[in-house]
Amino acid sequence: MLNIKNIHAQVGDNKILKGLNLEIKPGEVHAIMGPNGAGKSTLGNVLAGMEKVEVTQGSVDFLGKDLLDLEIEQRAAEGIFLAFQYPVEIPGVNNMYFLRAALNAQRKYRGEKEMNSSEFLKLVRTKIKQMNMRDDLLRRPVNEGFSGGEKKRNEIFQMSILEPKLAILDETDSGLDIDALKIVADGVNQLRDDNRSFIVITHYQRLLDYIVPDYVHVLADGKIVRSGDKSLAIELEKTGYGWLED
Amino acid sequence: MFKNPINLAFEKLSGQLDEPKWLQQKRSDALKKFQEYGLPTRKSELWKYTNAKKLEKLEEVTDIADGNDYFVFTIKGELPQDTLMQNILEIDEKSWKNIKTDKERTFVELNTTMLNGGFALTIPKNSQLKLHIQYQQVSKDWENIRTVINVGENAELDLTESYDYDCRINHVSVINMSTDSRLKLHSNKHLRKTAALIHFAQINCAQNVSIEQGTINNNAALSHSITEVNFNGQHSEFEAASVNVVHDSCHISENILVNHKVQNCKSNVIKRSLATDKASVALNAKAVVYKAADGSDVAQSLKNILLTDEASIYSKPELEINTDDVIAAHGSTIGELDETSLTYLRSRGIPKEQAKFMLIESFLQDANIFKTEDFLDRIEL
């Protein structure tokens, strides 16, 4: 599904990714862990197409397409979803309006029929129930006045509506209490299937108790320095990242 | 119109008029004042960023609507039986209200000099009225229109005023609100890019008056407005929200002065402006809280977006507070569309142009004071 080869990326003059390689197959969940400043979020931003990050070398193949050649919105329509670490508040843009515009823009891009308002409403009602979320969030402007937990849940809700092929969760667990963490993890687990893959960027092993990864990678100084299964996350929780300096 | 031809035009006009001497005298006095003031220059605060000389170089009005042969306005809506409506040129002298002018308000004097139409409308107390007034272009030259609306005690007026798309109008309007009266004023200035509109409005409030004003200013070669609100009675409220959207080389200047002369009144001025191409917007929002006006509540919010490097916006909120017990807040921002929000929308699959449009829509919705669903349909974005 995703094949990242020797990616180098920088923000301004700051070189962050320095030859990163990663392959993800359909249905797999990959956790990316690592110390602060290692480049975890930058990896998510490279894949989603954030313009502040400049890719200077390497390639990313996503379902047979050169991902780096696509605009942000094209990547989304191709099936990439980035759950933001800091979801943006957009006053004045109603959540429902925004989501329907997003869903229909993606459907249009893929040559599918756009969804009318009653079809969309039905979809939203089903999904919000599945996600155990309050439906008053839908009537409010995007993320405006949401608590930290509500913002993260809204990201997962958006993901459930847009049904991406590859979802990147950028520290979605940060700032969540244990109940909110379970709701978010439940939402993600409901979306897991043989064709949808996830990259879970996190600092802590506790999220991986709920979203069990197939692979865990340690990212340090812009490269993946170690890979393993879930037990690697447990080991990191005990040992920290001091061993990287040895 | 403004230089030498003004004398000739005035002579021609006064020769044709069969009107009372007092009005002829008003015109003559006004002409002297206009000539004394001259055209406003950039030294005047309210004209600092507006080139009045542009008014002398306007293209001719070409698009005069069918049927606009005589009256400079039409009124849609039913007037109650005891409503008094008079031609402004036929009112008696004591009904005429002099407006204090200075160099910035020189066009009020020109309006008096060249006045060619308008009305005085008195709405009886305890009545409710919904009206739509269209100000019309009947000639290729300037129309000088004066309107006076007196809203009676405990009366309620829902007024929509709009202007011909291709207009050249100098409008002076006075609205006198009696005790406990209410006004909803929808002002639609969606104009052709070659049009020109000069508007001076004075709103006088007695006690316990409530006014909501929603204005759309869209294009015009030059559109300049000065609104003066006077709180003369306590517990009155004025809330005004305006949208200014300009393209090409259009220019809009919107100026508002709220005089809190007495205690316990509230004013809230919201302006949302958007300039693209080489267009420009100049905004002044001033509130003066007089020494005796404790308990005043004043808010001003001016937010502006520039969509191109060559567009310009000048935005000035101003508070002059001469007493202690006042709640006051003001703010002004000028910037581009928020890149972070734009990226967020695009990251969900929304194309860039559509995402921009959504952000513009949401920005302007702040000024949709009446929460009308067709609000954005009435603006050329």
Side-chain angles (χ1 to χ4, degrees), chain A residues 96-162:
Chain A
M96 283 280 273
Y97 171 55
F98 156 64
L99 265 176
R100 191 172 156 219
L103 180 65
N104 279 337
Q106 292 201 13
R107 291 172 77 101
K108 193 176 172 188
Y109 174 89
R110 297 193 290 259
E112 298 165 12
K113 190 173 162 265
E114 291 183 35
M115 215 177 245
N116 65 34
S117 52
S118 62
E119 289 167 332
F120 181 71
L121 194 63
K122 204 173 160 187
L123 173 73
V124 160
R125 282 192 178 144
T126 311
K127 294 283 185 180
I128 203 147
K129 218 171 179 180
Q130 284 172 0
M131 295 282 133
N132 289 316
M133 283 172 61
R134 295 197 327 265
D135 60 2
D136 66 315
L137 295 184
L138 296 168
R139 292 188 292 272
R140 286 156 58 183
V142 179
N143 293 323
E144 191 185 37
F146 286 25
S147 68
E150 284 174 332
K151 283 181 185 173
K152 297 295 176 78
R153 270 183 274 173
N154 196 28
E155 295 289 283
I156 302 303
F157 176 65
Q158 289 174 23
M159 184 171 78
S160 77
I161 293 286
L162 299 173

Side-chain angles (χ1 to χ4, degrees), chain A residues 50-51 71-73 76 81-82 84 88 90-93 97-98 101-102 105-106 142-143 155 158 162, chain B residues 338-354 357-359 361-363 365-366:
Chain A
M50 299 296 132
E51 286 166 352
E71 296 287 340
I72 307 175
E73 55 269 33
F81 181 92
L82 173 67
F84 281 59
V88 179
I90 310 183
V93 177
Y97 171 55
F98 156 64
Q106 292 201 13
V142 179
N143 293 323
E155 295 289 283
Q158 289 174 23
L162 299 173
Chain B
D338 181 41
E339 278 297 325
T340 314
S341 301
L342 196 60
T343 301
Y344 189 77
L345 294 179
R346 292 177 68 199
S347 77
R348 299 302 181 243
I350 299 170
K352 193 173 184 176
E353 286 309 307
Q354 189 184 348
F357 189 77
M358 285 173 75
L359 292 178
E361 275 185 324
S362 73
F363 170 74
Q365 280 292 359
D366 274 0

Side-chain angles (χ1 to χ4, degrees), chain B residues 35-182:
Chain B
Q35 287 173 324
E36 177 194 324
Y37 294 145
L39 277 184
T41 65
R42 290 175 187 254
K43 286 179 185 166
S44 302
E45 188 63 29
L46 305 187
W47 291 86
K48 200 169 183 175
Y49 301 105
T50 302
N51 183 6
K53 286 188 174 164
K54 201 174 175 183
L55 294 169
E56 295 177 321
K57 299 169 194 162
L58 293 171
E59 288 175 28
E60 267 206 341
V61 176
T62 53
D63 190 11
I64 296 173
D66 290 344
N68 289 7
D69 51 357
Y70 184 70
F71 291 107
V72 291
F73 65 91
T74 54
I75 295 188
K76 289 177 197 161
E78 281 191 26
L79 298 176
Q81 273 192 338
D82 41 0
T83 302
L84 181 64
M85 180 132 187
Q86 281 180 289
N87 184 335
I88 194 74
L89 299 169
E90 292 171 1
I91 61 171
D92 54 34
E93 186 174 4
K94 66 177 193 302
S95 302
W96 180 271
K97 187 181 184 310
N98 288 319
I99 293 168
K100 198 178 163 195
T101 61
D102 53 24
K103 200 172 169 64
E104 290 182 331
R105 299 176 179 192
T106 183
F107 288 105
V108 174
E109 299 296 355
L110 185 63
N111 178 278
T112 305
T113 307
M114 304 300 289
L115 187 62
N116 66 319
F119 59 83
L121 175 68
T122 300
I123 295 164
K125 64 180 181 182
N126 302 321
S127 58
Q128 285 188 339
L129 196 55
K130 188 169 184 175
L131 293 178
H132 182 169
I133 302 176
Q134 174 83 17
Y135 299 106
Q136 299 178 152
Q137 193 69 32
V138 297
S139 70
K140 289 183 175 182
D141 211 338
W142 283 83
E143 310 298 348
N144 288 276
I145 304 170
R146 185 167 175 136
T147 56
V148 179
I149 299 175
N150 302 305
V151 183
E153 266 183 43
N154 194 37
E156 189 172 313
L157 174 63
D158 186 322
L159 174 64
T160 300
E161 53 176 19
S162 52
Y163 295 81
D164 273 2
Y165 184 58
D166 191 2
C167 75
R168 189 151 309 167
I169 290 176
N170 178 11
H171 184 197
V172 172
S173 62
V174 178
I175 299 177
N176 297 310
M177 302 291 293
S178 304
T179 301
D180 297 326
S181 59
R182 297 167 297 283

Side-chain angles (χ1 to χ4, degrees), chain A residues 191-202:
Chain A
L191 291 167
R192 281 180 81 162
D193 65 29
D194 291 345
N195 297 313
R196 185 171 294 122
S197 305
F198 290 84
I199 295 175
V200 181
I201 297 168
T202 183

